[in-house]
Structure formats: C-alpha cells, structure tokens
Amino acid sequence: MPAVKLGVSRQVAIPKKIHDALGLAPGDYLEVELKAGKVVLTPKALVDKEIERRLAEGLEDIKKGRGIGPFSSAKEAIRALHQEAKKLKKE
C-alpha cells in the first residue's frame, strides 16, 4: 500500500495507479468520510456534471437536425412525438 505525504494546505496526492483505476480526472469530486478512524475517499458524480453532458448532447442533436418543433402547445408536441414514433416503427 503506497504512502502519501500531507501537504502544507492539507492536500494529499492520490497515487497514479489508484487514480487511473478509479478513472479520475482533474475537477472530479471525492466524498471524504471518517470511518473507524480511517479517511475514506469515494468518487462522486455531481448533478452539474451530468447536466452539462446532457446539454452538450442535446445541442449536438440540434446542430445535426435531430429534433422536432417548436410547438405552440403540449398537445401539439405530443401529437408530433406520436407521429415520429410511427415513422420509427415503419423503419
């Protein structure tokens, strides 16, 4: 088990082998807990990161013309979605 040194500002470097095994990247978050006198670090995916990924995916869809609308009402949107579903079933 590798040993790490605590820095002046309480920072700890995660050994590369562990970092890579967990798939960590700069800017990722870790939950820090104290359990039975031990520090436990657990990778955490925050909602903000997931929202950014989904927004980027949605914008890419719009750029590539993979979208329908705009609609003036919810009924109109639902009708269009049903029509799209029928088209996909035929394909």
Side-chain angles (χ1 to χ4, degrees):
M1 190 175 290
V4 295
K5 183 178 179 182
L6 188 62
V8 177
S9 62
R10 300 180 310 273
Q11 291 180 328
V12 176
I14 297 172
K16 183 173 178 14
K17 191 173 183 179
I18 294 170
H19 175 276
D20 293 347
L22 292 173
L24 297 174
D28 284 353
Y29 287 88
L30 300 172
E31 179 180 78
V32 182
E33 296 178 279
L34 183 61
K35 288 187 178 178
K38 295 183 179 187
V39 177
V40 178
L41 302 174
T42 306
K44 285 292 176 186
L46 298 181
V47 174
D48 293 342
K49 205 170 193 179
E50 179 66 15
I51 289 172
E52 284 180 24
R53 185 188 66 76
R54 287 185 179 212
L55 282 174
E57 185 180 301
L59 291 172
E60 187 64 27
D61 284 343
I62 291 168
K63 286 179 188 174
K64 292 185 177 181
R66 295 186 298 229
I68 56 174
F71 307 104
S72 57
S73 69
K75 285 183 181 182
E76 186 182 333
I78 292 168
R79 191 177 312 116
L81 290 172
H82 284 295
Q83 289 172 350
E84 287 295 313
K86 285 179 185 177
K87 286 180 191 176
L88 291 173
K89 283 182 182 179
K90 288 180 183 178
E91 293 175 4

